[in-house]
Amino acid sequence: MLFSKLLIPTLKEAPQEAEIVSHKLMLRAGMIRKVASGVYTWLPLGLKVLRKVEGEVRTAMNNAGAQEVLMPMVQPKELWNETNRWEKMGKELLRFRDRHDRDFCLGPTHEEVITDLIRNNVRSYKELPINAYQIQTKFRDEIRPRYGVMRSREFIMKDAYSFSVNEKCLDESYINMRNAYKQILQNIGLDFKIVKADSGAIGGDASEEFHVLAENGEDTIAISTNSEFAINTELLLEEGEDIKSLEGKDSPDGKGIMQIKKGIEVGHIFKLGQVYSNDMNASVQSQEGRSSTLYMGCYGIGVSRIVAAAIEQNNDEKGIVWPVSIAPFDVNIIAIGFDKNEKVANAATDLYEKLSNQGYDVILDDRKAGFGAKIKDSELIGIPMNIIIGKLYVEKNEIEMRTRDGQISLVQIDDLEVIFNHFK
Ligand code: ATP
Ligand code: MG
């Protein structure tokens, strides 16, 4: 892609509205722009990253045997009445009426719609387990939207729902999704913890959250120094425990000492059991020929929140430092004098094609600007590798390869093998 053809309105200063670093950098890098409180447009650069996160999530879901569906954002009141959530959800549920005076809401989550689908279309235990997921827009009328897409009103979530014939099968589906979530965050390259959590408005018996560790996280979590033990302090508060007294204490599992950290909740998995299937009469015929109420699990991961969380965990004074897996581009070819010097323009275009043919995601900075402005933008946007084609190339056929963390090496432009090796 040519830099000059993309809408990447970078900013020198962060607008006043931004409080935390990820929000500031997403605005400065021209990734998002606000339309209304908690409602954003994703610009080309932001959308590229969002799609890469979606790709990681989709691959992991498909590998785990889940099947993709797409449910509507608009949902009828009747379904929400069946679980009493039309009332229970309170003001977070955005309700509206159509021209025939029928009540609808914008889906904040999809338990009712998926349970309705399964009860109407699955008859026998033989068809189970089923795990269906979607990657879709949610709307929650958050009381305090803030931090950009981190806590917005409209956002993208991947939500998956499993249906099983008994508790043991639910446990298996839950572990399967738990492993898939671990895989997603590991593949993206984030530092995270799995934390025991409160089930909240979704309900059910057991739940765990996936937290990306970052100073600006909204949640306070207690984690052990030497084991996997971690718990959301929200849960401790509910049980009347005192968080302060926990610091420096032995972990409840006897391994390590408890530490307090800040986390960003990017994923939440629940064993719902029979809560929704009871309310909505969702059953199948069991092996013994009886009607058997379904066991359900639900599994949400915040696709748009992961973009912000990744920045919150990976940035420096110059800008974003993307994990390579979700960087908008793998490499930026910075051509100095692209518009004036034919030799530079040809070499840059040629290298662009060679790298693209190798499968790299390449941007070519062909703008009429100097090296200073171009490298600043590239560092702000967080592209992992820069290839600079300028004076050195004109004089000695040399190009400069410069990583986002500032490591520089000079390479002969014809030495393709050396160039490709830098990406390994
Ligand atoms: P929170 O406690 O942050 O409000 P939640 O417990 O309400 O989150 P879930 O209902 O479990 O969230 O939704 C699953 C995932 O969707 C969350 O882990 C998070 O990544 C994402 N998410 C939830 N609310 C928002 C929001 N307002 N903006 C962006 N992402 C969100
Ligand atoms: Mg919430």
Side-chain angles (χ1 to χ4, degrees), residues 92 108-109 140 142 149-157 202 209-210 218-219 234 265-268 270 300-306:
E92 221 172 270
T109 177
R140 296 181 179 180
E142 297 273 354
V149 296
M150 187 84 88
R151 180 169 299 283
S152 48
R153 295 196 297 166
E154 188 179 301
F155 58 95
I156 312 260
M157 197 203 284
I202 307 263
E209 291 167 349
F210 288 73
E218 282 188 293
D219 287 49
E234 241 172 42
E265 180 200 319
V266 293
H268 201 165
F270 303 77
I301 196 161
V303 175
S304 38
R305 187 178 282 182
I306 284 179

PDB file of all heavy atoms in Angstrom, residues 92 108-109 140 142 149-157 202 209-210 218-219 234 265-268 270 300-306, ligand 1:
ATOM      1  N   GLU A  92     -28.137  -0.317  30.752  1.00  0.00           N
ATOM      2  CA  GLU A  92     -27.086  -0.687  29.803  1.00  0.00           C
ATOM      3  C   GLU A  92     -27.692  -1.216  28.494  1.00  0.00           C
ATOM      4  O   GLU A  92     -27.059  -1.194  27.444  1.00  0.00           O
ATOM      5  CB  GLU A  92     -26.172  -1.726  30.438  1.00  0.00           C
ATOM      6  CG  GLU A  92     -24.712  -1.455  30.115  1.00  0.00           C
ATOM      7  CD  GLU A  92     -23.757  -2.347  30.872  1.00  0.00           C
ATOM      8  OE1 GLU A  92     -23.354  -1.943  31.982  1.00  0.00           O
ATOM      9  OE2 GLU A  92     -23.420  -3.429  30.353  1.00  0.00           O
ATOM     10  N   PRO A 108     -26.380  -6.502  23.611  1.00  0.00           N
ATOM     11  CA  PRO A 108     -25.165  -6.319  24.393  1.00  0.00           C
ATOM     12  C   PRO A 108     -24.429  -7.657  24.537  1.00  0.00           C
ATOM     13  O   PRO A 108     -23.263  -7.726  24.917  1.00  0.00           O
ATOM     14  CB  PRO A 108     -25.688  -5.864  25.757  1.00  0.00           C
ATOM     15  CG  PRO A 108     -27.050  -6.457  25.874  1.00  0.00           C
ATOM     16  CD  PRO A 108     -27.584  -6.633  24.468  1.00  0.00           C
ATOM     17  N   THR A 109     -25.130  -8.756  24.234  1.00  0.00           N
ATOM     18  CA  THR A 109     -24.657 -10.133  24.344  1.00  0.00           C
ATOM     19  C   THR A 109     -25.752 -10.991  23.712  1.00  0.00           C
ATOM     20  O   THR A 109     -26.829 -10.474  23.396  1.00  0.00           O
ATOM     21  CB  THR A 109     -24.389 -10.479  25.841  1.00  0.00           C
ATOM     22  OG1 THR A 109     -23.989 -11.839  25.946  1.00  0.00           O
ATOM     23  CG2 THR A 109     -25.625 -10.268  26.714  1.00  0.00           C
ATOM     24  N   ARG A 140     -23.526  -1.582  24.379  1.00  0.00           N
ATOM     25  CA  ARG A 140     -23.870  -1.489  25.800  1.00  0.00           C
ATOM     26  C   ARG A 140     -23.846  -0.012  26.162  1.00  0.00           C
ATOM     27  O   ARG A 140     -22.820   0.650  25.943  1.00  0.00           O
ATOM     28  CB  ARG A 140     -22.865  -2.255  26.667  1.00  0.00           C
ATOM     29  CG  ARG A 140     -22.880  -3.737  26.386  1.00  0.00           C
ATOM     30  CD  ARG A 140     -21.907  -4.501  27.272  1.00  0.00           C
ATOM     31  NE  ARG A 140     -21.981  -5.920  26.957  1.00  0.00           N
ATOM     32  CZ  ARG A 140     -21.269  -6.864  27.538  1.00  0.00           C
ATOM     33  NH1 ARG A 140     -20.411  -6.541  28.504  1.00  0.00           N
ATOM     34  NH2 ARG A 140     -21.402  -8.126  27.205  1.00  0.00           N
ATOM     35  N   GLU A 142     -22.974   1.987  28.303  1.00  0.00           N
ATOM     36  CA  GLU A 142     -22.115   2.131  29.491  1.00  0.00           C
ATOM     37  C   GLU A 142     -22.357   3.484  30.148  1.00  0.00           C
ATOM     38  O   GLU A 142     -22.453   4.506  29.459  1.00  0.00           O
ATOM     39  CB  GLU A 142     -20.636   2.037  29.083  1.00  0.00           C
ATOM     40  CG  GLU A 142     -20.203   0.714  28.486  1.00  0.00           C
ATOM     41  CD  GLU A 142     -19.778  -0.294  29.548  1.00  0.00           C
ATOM     42  OE1 GLU A 142     -19.710   0.068  30.739  1.00  0.00           O
ATOM     43  OE2 GLU A 142     -19.531  -1.459  29.168  1.00  0.00           O
ATOM     44  N   VAL A 149     -11.599   2.976  22.711  1.00  0.00           N
ATOM     45  CA  VAL A 149     -12.261   1.699  22.446  1.00  0.00           C
ATOM     46  C   VAL A 149     -12.086   0.698  23.591  1.00  0.00           C
ATOM     47  O   VAL A 149     -12.606  -0.413  23.534  1.00  0.00           O
ATOM     48  CB  VAL A 149     -11.777   1.062  21.124  1.00  0.00           C
ATOM     49  CG1 VAL A 149     -12.163   1.959  19.949  1.00  0.00           C
ATOM     50  CG2 VAL A 149     -10.277   0.805  21.143  1.00  0.00           C
ATOM     51  N   MET A 150     -11.364   1.105  24.621  1.00  0.00           N
ATOM     52  CA  MET A 150     -11.173   0.219  25.780  1.00  0.00           C
ATOM     53  C   MET A 150     -12.501  -0.011  26.506  1.00  0.00           C
ATOM     54  O   MET A 150     -12.843  -1.126  26.864  1.00  0.00           O
ATOM     55  CB  MET A 150     -10.182   0.879  26.737  1.00  0.00           C
ATOM     56  CG  MET A 150      -9.765   0.016  27.877  1.00  0.00           C
ATOM     57  SD  MET A 150      -8.433  -1.052  27.399  1.00  0.00           S
ATOM     58  CE  MET A 150      -7.027  -0.011  27.748  1.00  0.00           C
ATOM     59  N   ARG A 151     -13.216   1.071  26.762  1.00  0.00           N
ATOM     60  CA  ARG A 151     -14.580   0.960  27.319  1.00  0.00           C
ATOM     61  C   ARG A 151     -15.482   1.863  26.501  1.00  0.00           C
ATOM     62  O   ARG A 151     -15.677   3.034  26.818  1.00  0.00           O
ATOM     63  CB  ARG A 151     -14.624   1.333  28.801  1.00  0.00           C
ATOM     64  CG  ARG A 151     -16.045   1.216  29.366  1.00  0.00           C
ATOM     65  CD  ARG A 151     -16.101   1.315  30.862  1.00  0.00           C
ATOM     66  NE  ARG A 151     -15.339   0.254  31.493  1.00  0.00           N
ATOM     67  CZ  ARG A 151     -15.739  -1.023  31.606  1.00  0.00           C
ATOM     68  NH1 ARG A 151     -16.914  -1.390  31.145  1.00  0.00           N
ATOM     69  NH2 ARG A 151     -14.975  -1.907  32.177  1.00  0.00           N
ATOM     70  N   SER A 152     -15.980   1.313  25.410  1.00  0.00           N
ATOM     71  CA  SER A 152     -16.832   2.099  24.518  1.00  0.00           C
ATOM     72  C   SER A 152     -18.262   1.608  24.664  1.00  0.00           C
ATOM     73  O   SER A 152     -18.539   0.693  25.438  1.00  0.00           O
ATOM     74  CB  SER A 152     -16.337   1.951  23.084  1.00  0.00           C
ATOM     75  OG  SER A 152     -16.115   0.597  22.792  1.00  0.00           O
ATOM     76  N   ARG A 153     -19.170   2.210  23.955  1.00  0.00           N
ATOM     77  CA  ARG A 153     -20.556   1.729  23.992  1.00  0.00           C
ATOM     78  C   ARG A 153     -20.776   0.739  22.856  1.00  0.00           C
ATOM     79  O   ARG A 153     -21.408  -0.288  23.017  1.00  0.00           O
ATOM     80  CB  ARG A 153     -21.516   2.922  23.912  1.00  0.00           C
ATOM     81  CG  ARG A 153     -21.365   3.805  25.161  1.00  0.00           C
ATOM     82  CD  ARG A 153     -22.531   4.739  25.322  1.00  0.00           C
ATOM     83  NE  ARG A 153     -22.608   5.667  24.214  1.00  0.00           N
ATOM     84  CZ  ARG A 153     -23.682   6.416  23.967  1.00  0.00           C
ATOM     85  NH1 ARG A 153     -24.755   6.323  24.717  1.00  0.00           N
ATOM     86  NH2 ARG A 153     -23.654   7.264  22.954  1.00  0.00           N
ATOM     87  N   GLU A 154     -20.216   1.065  21.679  1.00  0.00           N
ATOM     88  CA  GLU A 154     -20.266   0.116  20.568  1.00  0.00           C
ATOM     89  C   GLU A 154     -18.882  -0.518  20.448  1.00  0.00           C
ATOM     90  O   GLU A 154     -17.887   0.202  20.427  1.00  0.00           O
ATOM     91  CB  GLU A 154     -20.622   0.869  19.282  1.00  0.00           C
ATOM     92  CG  GLU A 154     -20.883  -0.049  18.129  1.00  0.00           C
ATOM     93  CD  GLU A 154     -21.270   0.704  16.865  1.00  0.00           C
ATOM     94  OE1 GLU A 154     -22.265   1.444  16.879  1.00  0.00           O
ATOM     95  OE2 GLU A 154     -20.556   0.537  15.864  1.00  0.00           O
ATOM     96  N   PHE A 155     -18.815  -1.838  20.410  1.00  0.00           N
ATOM     97  CA  PHE A 155     -17.508  -2.500  20.314  1.00  0.00           C
ATOM     98  C   PHE A 155     -17.657  -3.864  19.647  1.00  0.00           C
ATOM     99  O   PHE A 155     -18.763  -4.363  19.477  1.00  0.00           O
ATOM    100  CB  PHE A 155     -16.858  -2.637  21.697  1.00  0.00           C
ATOM    101  CG  PHE A 155     -17.666  -3.408  22.709  1.00  0.00           C
ATOM    102  CD1 PHE A 155     -17.459  -4.775  22.915  1.00  0.00           C
ATOM    103  CD2 PHE A 155     -18.652  -2.779  23.456  1.00  0.00           C
ATOM    104  CE1 PHE A 155     -18.201  -5.488  23.861  1.00  0.00           C
ATOM    105  CE2 PHE A 155     -19.413  -3.490  24.398  1.00  0.00           C
ATOM    106  CZ  PHE A 155     -19.184  -4.834  24.595  1.00  0.00           C
ATOM    107  N   ILE A 156     -16.508  -4.432  19.263  1.00  0.00           N
ATOM    108  CA  ILE A 156     -16.538  -5.743  18.606  1.00  0.00           C
ATOM    109  C   ILE A 156     -16.160  -6.814  19.615  1.00  0.00           C
ATOM    110  O   ILE A 156     -15.140  -6.704  20.298  1.00  0.00           O
ATOM    111  CB  ILE A 156     -15.534  -5.821  17.431  1.00  0.00           C
ATOM    112  CG1 ILE A 156     -15.672  -4.610  16.529  1.00  0.00           C
ATOM    113  CG2 ILE A 156     -15.687  -7.143  16.686  1.00  0.00           C
ATOM    114  CD1 ILE A 156     -16.443  -4.756  15.296  1.00  0.00           C
ATOM    115  N   MET A 157     -16.981  -7.821  19.699  1.00  0.00           N
ATOM    116  CA  MET A 157     -16.695  -8.953  20.576  1.00  0.00           C
ATOM    117  C   MET A 157     -16.743 -10.235  19.770  1.00  0.00           C
ATOM    118  O   MET A 157     -17.483 -10.326  18.790  1.00  0.00           O
ATOM    119  CB  MET A 157     -17.748  -9.032  21.690  1.00  0.00           C
ATOM    120  CG  MET A 157     -17.329  -9.901  22.872  1.00  0.00           C
ATOM    121  SD  MET A 157     -18.727 -10.538  23.818  1.00  0.00           S
ATOM    122  CE  MET A 157     -19.233  -9.120  24.722  1.00  0.00           C
ATOM    123  N   ILE A 202     -24.319 -11.844  33.650  1.00  0.00           N
ATOM    124  CA  ILE A 202     -24.490 -12.994  32.761  1.00  0.00           C
ATOM    125  C   ILE A 202     -24.980 -14.209  33.572  1.00  0.00           C
ATOM    126  O   ILE A 202     -25.706 -15.041  33.077  1.00  0.00           O
ATOM    127  CB  ILE A 202     -23.163 -13.322  32.027  1.00  0.00           C
ATOM    128  CG1 ILE A 202     -22.611 -12.092  31.327  1.00  0.00           C
ATOM    129  CG2 ILE A 202     -23.308 -14.505  31.105  1.00  0.00           C
ATOM    130  CD1 ILE A 202     -22.905 -11.919  29.877  1.00  0.00           C
ATOM    131  N   GLU A 209     -11.648 -14.783  34.139  1.00  0.00           N
ATOM    132  CA  GLU A 209     -11.355 -13.677  33.225  1.00  0.00           C
ATOM    133  C   GLU A 209      -9.916 -13.776  32.743  1.00  0.00           C
ATOM    134  O   GLU A 209      -9.053 -14.279  33.459  1.00  0.00           O
ATOM    135  CB  GLU A 209     -11.516 -12.329  33.943  1.00  0.00           C
ATOM    136  CG  GLU A 209     -12.942 -11.992  34.299  1.00  0.00           C
ATOM    137  CD  GLU A 209     -13.049 -10.820  35.282  1.00  0.00           C
ATOM    138  OE1 GLU A 209     -12.017 -10.392  35.848  1.00  0.00           O
ATOM    139  OE2 GLU A 209     -14.164 -10.356  35.499  1.00  0.00           O
ATOM    140  N   PHE A 210      -9.673 -13.256  31.552  1.00  0.00           N
ATOM    141  CA  PHE A 210      -8.315 -13.160  31.015  1.00  0.00           C
ATOM    142  C   PHE A 210      -7.915 -11.693  31.092  1.00  0.00           C
ATOM    143  O   PHE A 210      -8.582 -10.841  30.504  1.00  0.00           O
ATOM    144  CB  PHE A 210      -8.287 -13.669  29.573  1.00  0.00           C
ATOM    145  CG  PHE A 210      -8.436 -15.159  29.488  1.00  0.00           C
ATOM    146  CD1 PHE A 210      -9.654 -15.765  29.737  1.00  0.00           C
ATOM    147  CD2 PHE A 210      -7.342 -15.961  29.181  1.00  0.00           C
ATOM    148  CE1 PHE A 210      -9.790 -17.151  29.695  1.00  0.00           C
ATOM    149  CE2 PHE A 210      -7.465 -17.342  29.124  1.00  0.00           C
ATOM    150  CZ  PHE A 210      -8.687 -17.936  29.384  1.00  0.00           C
ATOM    151  N   GLU A 218      -8.247  -1.259  34.598  1.00  0.00           N
ATOM    152  CA  GLU A 218      -9.326  -0.803  35.486  1.00  0.00           C
ATOM    153  C   GLU A 218      -9.546  -1.788  36.629  1.00  0.00           C
ATOM    154  O   GLU A 218     -10.178  -1.449  37.613  1.00  0.00           O
ATOM    155  CB  GLU A 218     -10.633  -0.686  34.698  1.00  0.00           C
ATOM    156  CG  GLU A 218     -10.725   0.552  33.836  1.00  0.00           C
ATOM    157  CD  GLU A 218     -12.121   0.693  33.233  1.00  0.00           C
ATOM    158  OE1 GLU A 218     -12.495  -0.143  32.389  1.00  0.00           O
ATOM    159  OE2 GLU A 218     -12.822   1.628  33.618  1.00  0.00           O
ATOM    160  N   ASP A 219      -9.069  -3.023  36.467  1.00  0.00           N
ATOM    161  CA  ASP A 219      -9.310  -4.039  37.494  1.00  0.00           C
ATOM    162  C   ASP A 219      -8.075  -4.233  38.363  1.00  0.00           C
ATOM    163  O   ASP A 219      -6.946  -4.125  37.897  1.00  0.00           O
ATOM    164  CB  ASP A 219      -9.663  -5.383  36.840  1.00  0.00           C
ATOM    165  CG  ASP A 219     -11.065  -5.375  36.256  1.00  0.00           C
ATOM    166  OD1 ASP A 219     -11.382  -4.419  35.527  1.00  0.00           O
ATOM    167  OD2 ASP A 219     -11.830  -6.309  36.538  1.00  0.00           O
ATOM    168  N   GLU A 234     -12.451  -7.879  43.034  1.00  0.00           N
ATOM    169  CA  GLU A 234     -13.908  -7.676  43.073  1.00  0.00           C
ATOM    170  C   GLU A 234     -14.591  -8.813  43.840  1.00  0.00           C
ATOM    171  O   GLU A 234     -15.496  -8.600  44.630  1.00  0.00           O
ATOM    172  CB  GLU A 234     -14.432  -7.765  41.638  1.00  0.00           C
ATOM    173  CG  GLU A 234     -15.110  -6.540  41.088  1.00  0.00           C
ATOM    174  CD  GLU A 234     -15.390  -6.749  39.598  1.00  0.00           C
ATOM    175  OE1 GLU A 234     -15.819  -7.859  39.182  1.00  0.00           O
ATOM    176  OE2 GLU A 234     -15.148  -5.800  38.843  1.00  0.00           O
ATOM    177  N   GLU A 265      -9.364  -6.474  31.568  1.00  0.00           N
ATOM    178  CA  GLU A 265     -10.111  -7.690  31.245  1.00  0.00           C
ATOM    179  C   GLU A 265     -10.348  -7.740  29.740  1.00  0.00           C
ATOM    180  O   GLU A 265     -11.093  -6.929  29.204  1.00  0.00           O
ATOM    181  CB  GLU A 265     -11.455  -7.698  31.984  1.00  0.00           C
ATOM    182  CG  GLU A 265     -12.262  -8.943  31.664  1.00  0.00           C
ATOM    183  CD  GLU A 265     -13.747  -8.772  31.960  1.00  0.00           C
ATOM    184  OE1 GLU A 265     -14.099  -8.181  32.988  1.00  0.00           O
ATOM    185  OE2 GLU A 265     -14.539  -9.247  31.123  1.00  0.00           O
ATOM    186  N   VAL A 266      -9.716  -8.712  29.063  1.00  0.00           N
ATOM    187  CA  VAL A 266      -9.952  -8.832  27.622  1.00  0.00           C
ATOM    188  C   VAL A 266     -10.852 -10.012  27.287  1.00  0.00           C
ATOM    189  O   VAL A 266     -11.447 -10.066  26.213  1.00  0.00           O
ATOM    190  CB  VAL A 266      -8.639  -8.920  26.803  1.00  0.00           C
ATOM    191  CG1 VAL A 266      -7.878  -7.617  26.872  1.00  0.00           C
ATOM    192  CG2 VAL A 266      -7.789 -10.086  27.247  1.00  0.00           C
ATOM    193  N   GLY A 267     -10.959 -10.967  28.210  1.00  0.00           N
ATOM    194  CA  GLY A 267     -11.811 -12.111  27.923  1.00  0.00           C
ATOM    195  C   GLY A 267     -12.495 -12.602  29.179  1.00  0.00           C
ATOM    196  O   GLY A 267     -12.019 -12.365  30.300  1.00  0.00           O
ATOM    197  N   HIS A 268     -13.631 -13.268  29.005  1.00  0.00           N
ATOM    198  CA  HIS A 268     -14.390 -13.755  30.157  1.00  0.00           C
ATOM    199  C   HIS A 268     -15.093 -15.034  29.733  1.00  0.00           C
ATOM    200  O   HIS A 268     -15.828 -15.047  28.747  1.00  0.00           O
ATOM    201  CB  HIS A 268     -15.408 -12.677  30.566  1.00  0.00           C
ATOM    202  CG  HIS A 268     -15.888 -12.809  31.982  1.00  0.00           C
ATOM    203  ND1 HIS A 268     -16.557 -11.812  32.634  1.00  0.00           N
ATOM    204  CD2 HIS A 268     -15.794 -13.839  32.858  1.00  0.00           C
ATOM    205  CE1 HIS A 268     -16.851 -12.214  33.868  1.00  0.00           C
ATOM    206  NE2 HIS A 268     -16.401 -13.433  34.029  1.00  0.00           N
ATOM    207  N   PHE A 270     -17.513 -18.422  30.996  1.00  0.00           N
ATOM    208  CA  PHE A 270     -18.480 -18.798  32.038  1.00  0.00           C
ATOM    209  C   PHE A 270     -19.000 -20.212  31.831  1.00  0.00           C
ATOM    210  O   PHE A 270     -19.298 -20.601  30.708  1.00  0.00           O
ATOM    211  CB  PHE A 270     -19.752 -17.938  31.958  1.00  0.00           C
ATOM    212  CG  PHE A 270     -19.586 -16.469  32.059  1.00  0.00           C
ATOM    213  CD1 PHE A 270     -19.129 -15.722  30.993  1.00  0.00           C
ATOM    214  CD2 PHE A 270     -19.953 -15.810  33.230  1.00  0.00           C
ATOM    215  CE1 PHE A 270     -19.020 -14.344  31.079  1.00  0.00           C
ATOM    216  CE2 PHE A 270     -19.851 -14.425  33.324  1.00  0.00           C
ATOM    217  CZ  PHE A 270     -19.385 -13.695  32.253  1.00  0.00           C
ATOM    218  N   GLY A 300     -16.597 -14.910  26.006  1.00  0.00           N
ATOM    219  CA  GLY A 300     -16.483 -13.646  25.285  1.00  0.00           C
ATOM    220  C   GLY A 300     -15.048 -13.125  25.275  1.00  0.00           C
ATOM    221  O   GLY A 300     -14.322 -13.250  26.263  1.00  0.00           O
ATOM    222  N   ILE A 301     -14.657 -12.562  24.145  1.00  0.00           N
ATOM    223  CA  ILE A 301     -13.337 -11.922  24.095  1.00  0.00           C
ATOM    224  C   ILE A 301     -13.506 -10.587  23.371  1.00  0.00           C
ATOM    225  O   ILE A 301     -14.185 -10.506  22.341  1.00  0.00           O
ATOM    226  CB  ILE A 301     -12.268 -12.843  23.454  1.00  0.00           C
ATOM    227  CG1 ILE A 301     -10.849 -12.350  23.742  1.00  0.00           C
ATOM    228  CG2 ILE A 301     -12.472 -12.994  21.972  1.00  0.00           C
ATOM    229  CD1 ILE A 301      -9.771 -13.416  23.545  1.00  0.00           C
ATOM    230  N   GLY A 302     -12.952  -9.529  23.944  1.00  0.00           N
ATOM    231  CA  GLY A 302     -13.140  -8.188  23.402  1.00  0.00           C
ATOM    232  C   GLY A 302     -12.124  -7.903  22.306  1.00  0.00           C
ATOM    233  O   GLY A 302     -10.979  -7.565  22.568  1.00  0.00           O
ATOM    234  N   VAL A 303     -12.563  -8.045  21.055  1.00  0.00           N
ATOM    235  CA  VAL A 303     -11.634  -7.882  19.921  1.00  0.00           C
ATOM    236  C   VAL A 303     -11.108  -6.443  19.879  1.00  0.00           C
ATOM    237  O   VAL A 303      -9.900  -6.203  19.791  1.00  0.00           O
ATOM    238  CB  VAL A 303     -12.327  -8.264  18.591  1.00  0.00           C
ATOM    239  CG1 VAL A 303     -11.430  -7.974  17.402  1.00  0.00           C
ATOM    240  CG2 VAL A 303     -12.716  -9.741  18.612  1.00  0.00           C
ATOM    241  N   SER A 304     -12.020  -5.463  19.973  1.00  0.00           N
ATOM    242  CA  SER A 304     -11.543  -4.074  19.916  1.00  0.00           C
ATOM    243  C   SER A 304     -10.770  -3.700  21.181  1.00  0.00           C
ATOM    244  O   SER A 304      -9.783  -2.967  21.122  1.00  0.00           O
ATOM    245  CB  SER A 304     -12.687  -3.094  19.646  1.00  0.00           C
ATOM    246  OG  SER A 304     -13.870  -3.440  20.299  1.00  0.00           O
ATOM    247  N   ARG A 305     -11.179  -4.260  22.333  1.00  0.00           N
ATOM    248  CA  ARG A 305     -10.431  -3.942  23.557  1.00  0.00           C
ATOM    249  C   ARG A 305      -9.008  -4.502  23.511  1.00  0.00           C
ATOM    250  O   ARG A 305      -8.082  -3.895  24.056  1.00  0.00           O
ATOM    251  CB  ARG A 305     -11.177  -4.464  24.792  1.00  0.00           C
ATOM    252  CG  ARG A 305     -10.525  -4.005  26.081  1.00  0.00           C
ATOM    253  CD  ARG A 305     -11.261  -4.460  27.316  1.00  0.00           C
ATOM    254  NE  ARG A 305     -12.448  -3.670  27.617  1.00  0.00           N
ATOM    255  CZ  ARG A 305     -13.218  -3.879  28.690  1.00  0.00           C
ATOM    256  NH1 ARG A 305     -12.919  -4.853  29.535  1.00  0.00           N
ATOM    257  NH2 ARG A 305     -14.275  -3.129  28.913  1.00  0.00           N
ATOM    258  N   ILE A 306      -8.824  -5.640  22.846  1.00  0.00           N
ATOM    259  CA  ILE A 306      -7.470  -6.213  22.742  1.00  0.00           C
ATOM    260  C   ILE A 306      -6.528  -5.255  22.012  1.00  0.00           C
ATOM    261  O   ILE A 306      -5.356  -5.130  22.369  1.00  0.00           O
ATOM    262  CB  ILE A 306      -7.500  -7.598  22.040  1.00  0.00           C
ATOM    263  CG1 ILE A 306      -8.026  -8.657  23.012  1.00  0.00           C
ATOM    264  CG2 ILE A 306      -6.113  -7.989  21.534  1.00  0.00           C
ATOM    265  CD1 ILE A 306      -8.118 -10.055  22.423  1.00  0.00           C
TER     266      ILE A 306
HETATM  267  P1  ATP B   1     -16.352  -5.057  32.098  1.00  0.00           P
HETATM  268  O1  ATP B   1     -16.295  -5.609  33.493  1.00  0.00           O
HETATM  269  O2  ATP B   1     -15.036  -4.517  31.597  1.00  0.00           O
HETATM  270  O3  ATP B   1     -17.513  -4.144  31.876  1.00  0.00           O
HETATM  271  P2  ATP B   1     -17.883  -7.296  31.297  1.00  0.00           P
HETATM  272  O4  ATP B   1     -17.637  -8.262  32.399  1.00  0.00           O
HETATM  273  O5  ATP B   1     -19.116  -6.504  31.284  1.00  0.00           O
HETATM  274  O6  ATP B   1     -16.616  -6.311  31.165  1.00  0.00           O
HETATM  275  P3  ATP B   1     -18.349  -9.401  29.405  1.00  0.00           P
HETATM  276  O7  ATP B   1     -19.807  -9.267  29.443  1.00  0.00           O
HETATM  277  O8  ATP B   1     -17.719 -10.547  30.067  1.00  0.00           O
HETATM  278  O9  ATP B   1     -17.681  -8.044  29.911  1.00  0.00           O
HETATM  279  O10 ATP B   1     -17.871  -9.277  27.883  1.00  0.00           O
HETATM  280  C1  ATP B   1     -16.807 -10.022  27.305  1.00  0.00           C
HETATM  281  C2  ATP B   1     -15.665  -9.129  26.853  1.00  0.00           C
HETATM  282  O11 ATP B   1     -16.127  -8.041  26.050  1.00  0.00           O
HETATM  283  C3  ATP B   1     -14.920  -8.446  27.988  1.00  0.00           C
HETATM  284  O12 ATP B   1     -13.976  -9.315  28.551  1.00  0.00           O
HETATM  285  C4  ATP B   1     -14.268  -7.275  27.258  1.00  0.00           C
HETATM  286  O13 ATP B   1     -13.074  -7.688  26.621  1.00  0.00           O
HETATM  287  C5  ATP B   1     -15.290  -6.920  26.215  1.00  0.00           C
HETATM  288  N1  ATP B   1     -16.070  -5.733  26.641  1.00  0.00           N
HETATM  289  C6  ATP B   1     -17.069  -5.692  27.530  1.00  0.00           C
HETATM  290  N2  ATP B   1     -17.554  -4.447  27.664  1.00  0.00           N
HETATM  291  C7  ATP B   1     -16.826  -3.670  26.811  1.00  0.00           C
HETATM  292  C8  ATP B   1     -16.850  -2.285  26.469  1.00  0.00           C
HETATM  293  N3  ATP B   1     -17.710  -1.462  27.036  1.00  0.00           N
HETATM  294  N4  ATP B   1     -15.975  -1.835  25.551  1.00  0.00           N
HETATM  295  C9  ATP B   1     -15.096  -2.669  24.956  1.00  0.00           C
HETATM  296  N5  ATP B   1     -15.021  -3.982  25.234  1.00  0.00           N
HETATM  297  C10 ATP B   1     -15.872  -4.493  26.145  1.00  0.00           C
END
